[in-house]
Amino acid sequence: MLSFLTLLVAATAVYAAPTNGTTDVLDIRSGTPSGTGTSNGYYYSWWTDGAGDATYTNGAAGQYSLTWSGGNGNLVGGKGWNPGTSSRVINYSGTYQPNGNSYLSVYGWTRNSLIEYYVVESYGSYNPSSAASLKGSVTCNGASYDILSTWRTNAPSIDGTATFQQFWSVRNPKKAPGGSISGTVDTACHFNAWANLGLNLGSEHNYQIVATEGYFSSGSSTITVS
Ligand SMILES: *[C@@H]1O[C@H](CO)[C@@H](O)[C@H](O)[C@H]1NC(C)=O
Ligand SMILES: *[C@@H]1O[C@H](CO)[C@@H](O)[C@H](O)[C@H]1NC(C)=O
C-alpha cells in the first residue's frame, strides 16, 4: 500500500495533469493503475489521472499497447530506457489512432539541469507547439522539425514541484496518425540542434521513452520501441 501510494504521488508529480489536487489520487479507479518498472528488458512508465478509461499493456520486448476512451482526463505511457542517453537512435513502429488531443513522442527528463523534453513524431487534433516559443528548426532523419521551448513555473516534475524548461522538437509536417506508423529518432541530432540554440539538456539523464499521451480524448496505440 505504501509503495502504491508513493507511486501514485510520484506519478502525479511527474505529469502536469489538469487536475484538482489530491482528489485525483483518490479517483484513480478506471482501467490500469499507474506504474513504472521494467518489462522484458525495457523501462516503462504508465500514468493516468484516472478520469478516463484507459488500459495499458506491456507486450513482448519493446512493445506496449494503450487504449483509452471517455474523452476525459490525462494519461501517458510508453517504453524505453532509464536512464536515457544523448546518443540513442530510437526506432518505433506500430499503429497510432488518436481521436482528439494526443501525442506520440520520444519523451524524457534530465537533471542538472532539470529539463523535460519531447520529440513529437505525430499528434492528434492539437499541435503541441501552439503553446511554446519557436526557436528554430532542424532536419533529422530526413524530416523537418520545429524547435520550441517554454518555461514551466512551479510545475510538477520528477523532482516534485519545480521551475524548469521544456524543450520540444515537433515534426513538421507530423507523421500521419490514424493507422500504421513507424520512424527513427536520432536523439543526438535533436539534442545538438537544441544546444546550438542555447537549449542545453542536463548532464544526468532520467528516463527516455516513446510515449503515447492522451488528453481529454480517446484512441489506441500499439507501439514497439527498439
Ligand atoms: C475540485 O473538484 C471538486 C469535486 O469534484 C469540485 O467541486 C471543485 O470545484 C474542483 N476544484 C477545482 C479548482 O477545479
Ligand atoms: C533502427 O532502424 C534502422 C533503420 O531501419 C536500423 O538500421 C537499425 O538497426 C534499427 N535499430 C534498432 C535498435 O532496431
Side-chain angles (χ1 to χ4, degrees), residues 106-120:
V106 170
Y107 172 71
W109 287 87
T110 64
R111 289 192 172 111
N112 188 29
S113 306
L114 183 65
I115 304 287
E116 182 180 31
Y117 66 84
Y118 291 82
V119 177
V120 180

Side-chain angles (χ1 to χ4, degrees), residues 96-208:
Y96 173 59
Q97 297 174 290
N99 180 10
N101 189 345
S102 168
Y103 316 150
L104 179 68
S105 0
V106 170
Y107 172 71
W109 287 87
T110 64
R111 289 192 172 111
N112 188 29
S113 306
L114 183 65
I115 304 287
E116 182 180 31
Y117 66 84
Y118 291 82
V119 177
V120 180
E121 290 288 285
S122 187
Y123 52 86
S125 57
Y126 177 78
N127 182 340
S129 57
S130 310
S133 317
L134 184 64
K135 300 293 185 186
S137 64
V138 64
T139 298
C140 295
N141 302 104
S144 179
Y145 292 79
D146 294 330
I147 298 174
L148 308 104
S149 71
T150 190
W151 279 94
R152 301 273 289 141
T153 304
N154 295 329
S157 82
I158 55 170
D159 289 332
T161 301
T163 295
F164 56 90
Q165 274 187 295
Q166 288 178 331
F167 300 164
W168 299 80
S169 281
V170 179
R171 201 177 190 279
N172 185 7
K174 67 183 176 185
K175 286 210 180 223
S180 295
I181 194 165
S182 65
T184 299
V185 174
D186 177 358
T187 57
C189 181
H190 295 274
F191 297 172
N192 291 336
W194 297 350
N196 288 339
L197 294 166
L199 305 175
N200 295 298
L201 288 172
S203 57
E204 184 191 336
H205 279 271
N206 200 259
Y207 66 81
Q208 182 174 62

Side-chain angles (χ1 to χ4, degrees), residues 89-91 183-184 226:
V89 177
I90 298 175
N91 292 339
T184 299
S226 64

Side-chain angles (χ1 to χ4, degrees), residues 18-21 23-24 27:
T19 57
N20 189 349
T23 321
D24 306 300
D27 285 346

